[in-house]
Amino acid sequence: PFSTGRGPIRVSSDPSGKFLFTADSADDTVSVFTVDPNSGNLTAVAGSPFGNVSTPIDVAVDPRGKFLYVANWGSASVSVFSVDGTTGLLTPLSESPVSIGPQQQPGGLAIVSTQAN
């Protein structure tokens, strides 16, 4: 077993499989781990778990692995972080979190690539 924040509810990895992210709903954090490509062992990234979220319910990484999106049940918003591709360190964007509107509670996230062939 690997320790996360309290109440991990959803898990996502970056496209390369280098990092694993958990939405820790019980303590308003996101945990980040590096994944050992040979053993699958997880190692917490320095600074993890990260805040700037409110009852996170889901996490999703963009197709390039540069941004992490967190659906915040507790504040009807989405937090956006840049992901350091070397260390996994999360940095909240200055505009984050982004409100999704009054009386709205996100239940999850999906990222769709719109790249043309």
Side-chain angles (χ1 to χ4, degrees):
F2 301 95
S3 295
T4 68
R6 293 179 311 117
I9 190 165
R10 299 275 167 72
V11 176
S12 184
S13 67
D14 71 317
S16 71
K18 184 175 180 178
F19 302 111
L20 185 77
F21 307 90
T22 67
D24 308 322
S25 64
D27 65 2
D28 295 338
T29 61
V30 173
S31 294
V32 183
F33 301 91
T34 57
V35 180
D36 183 295
N38 297 313
S39 68
N41 283 330
L42 303 177
T43 303
V45 166
S48 181
F50 297 90
N52 201 39
V53 295
S54 177
T55 316
I57 192 83
D58 201 2
V59 288
V61 182
D62 81 292
R64 297 174 302 154
K66 294 184 180 268
F67 300 99
L68 176 73
Y69 299 88
V70 181
N72 296 306
W73 180 266
S75 64
S77 65
V78 175
S79 292
V80 185
F81 298 86
S82 64
V83 179
D84 184 296
T86 302
T87 66
L89 179 71
L90 298 182
T91 303
L93 298 188
S94 61
E95 304 84 15
S96 180
V98 178
S99 175
I100 61 171
Q103 307 300 319
Q104 303 296 316
Q105 298 298 342
L109 293 167
I111 296 178
V112 179
S113 177
T114 58
Q115 296 176 344
N117 291 333

